[in-house]
Amino acid sequence: MPMLSTRLARWIPLVGWLRDYHRDTLTRDLLAAVIVTMMLVPQALAYALLAGLPPEVGLYASMLPLVLYALFGTSATLAVGPVAVASLMTASALADIAVAGTAEYVGAALVLAFFSGLLLLGMGLLRMGFLANFLSHPVISGFVTASGILIAASQLSHILGIRGSGNNLLEMAGTLGSQLGEVNAITLLFGAGVWIFLLTCRRYLKGWLTAAGLALRTAELLSRAAPVVAVITTTLLAWWLQLGQRGVALVGEVPSGLPALALPSFEPSLWSTLLPAAVLISLVGFVESVSVAQTLAAKRRQRIDPNQELIALGLANMGAGVSGGSPVSGGFSRSVVNFEAGAATPLAGAFTAIGIAIATLVLTEPLAYLPKATLAATIIVAIGTLIDLPAVRETWSYSRADGVAMLATLVLTLVQGVETGILVGVVLSIGLHLYRTSQPHSAVVGRVPNSEHFRNVQRHAVETDPRLVILRVDESLYFANARYLEDTVMALTAHQPGLEHIVLACQAVNVVDASALKSLEAINARLRDAGVKLHMAEVKGPVMDRLKDTEFCHELTGQVFLSTYDAWRELRGEALPRQTLSQPMAPAGAPLGAAASE
């Protein structure tokens, strides 16, 4: 039985969490669920509005997906549901397919959620979590910042009480500018008032409450409950003052009851149209979710399995697609609240789903009076944490290449739309990786006197020998950089006529692919023709396992040494004169890659 339980927990991690489940754990999960439910109801409605969907879609996306993630996810505190970036990407993807809010639009959103889930599930089963690494942090940061700006801009129309449209910042600005004369004063008063209230609570309420004597944790949770207060207050005011008759846009009728389960449309043309958006939503949602989950898990010394997270998020999105919801992922603010509220296991998410289901059954009638301006203000304040413009300057000052990638992603997302921005960001991430690794850093090293250590001859006073060059290769060898290594080695040979031995110090080489193997064979042959022997040192076990049966290893003119020091002692020999340098030096003209380092 223990073995069966272990195997079951591998695929359904909740089984592992339940082994030590007890009353205190249940209490913590229930308390966290109540708090997150209060926070999620207004967010679910707001993000449905952002995606151009009826409000109930946001509630539906907060039920079955949460249960499925609780079963299959590895994070105790990740709160899955509708999020701002995914909602914005959904609106962008569906803008050219149907009119927002129509049955065709909702149907396409269900396909998008199901399709994204299918892609994530497939990636998880194939253990492809590594693909997220192709989205560099600067690119993700630039995209998220631009998305936050676009989200805020898209909600200004609801704050002003006018019609807004557009897929990029220029289009949105043009639409808003042309309708400024139609601003609804009452809507603006409500929207601006809620925005000021929420911003004040976010910045100052916790300090005020702690100064009044409340515990820090309690003060933090109460300050995060401000959106609930705003929703209740403005809903009551809208009902009492009959604001719907004064031109204030309200949420309107929200269907009561639980969503019906049904498969989305499988029309091939629709799926092919949504493929690029599904891929991008999947990747961005996964990166965002895993980042949040790993950050919170580290605080409790817990472990997140990225491939299992792919499966869990995939099933959650597929669940959204069959239960009337939109694409989902892990939300940062909700997850932090879930963590701080003491959630002990993923069951807190399942309990949250139950809370949302109860809200859908009993709160739909009063929610009809909720002003859309309140939801818009809630979104604008919530995405404040996404916008990080100072990061552009910091990244630029540290790395021009990363700064260019980040700035290009940010600008293109703003002026061309989210899909163009993230696609360019992915291309730039891959391009930067290929550029950097195509010119691997390498350094000629010498022996630190009276030691077994070797350091860069350009930075340290070390011992060298005119008959021997030790070249430290600081990158794995693959097709993109194999030719560069050939050029580096042959340049060293050309600049040292008395050279007899070249040692490749491979302590940083984790992979040698087929193209690099051919380059090593070519280097060995050319050095042999020049009367120079090629040696290798500190070759890692997995790399040596692949090399030992190759033609290169059999024809190697030199030897493979266990350490660089062993190569130095044997090739240099005791009878050879030792040349001790008082200052760092470098072989003239040798192309040693980027600036030399340790």
Side-chain angles (χ1 to χ4, degrees), residues 439-451:
Q439 301 183 53
H441 179 270
S442 57
V444 172
V445 297
R447 178 177 176 247
V448 177
N450 302 315
S451 76

Side-chain angles (χ1 to χ4, degrees), residues 69-84:
Y69 181 83
L71 286 170
F72 297 97
T74 60
S75 171
T77 53
L78 186 68
V80 172
V83 297

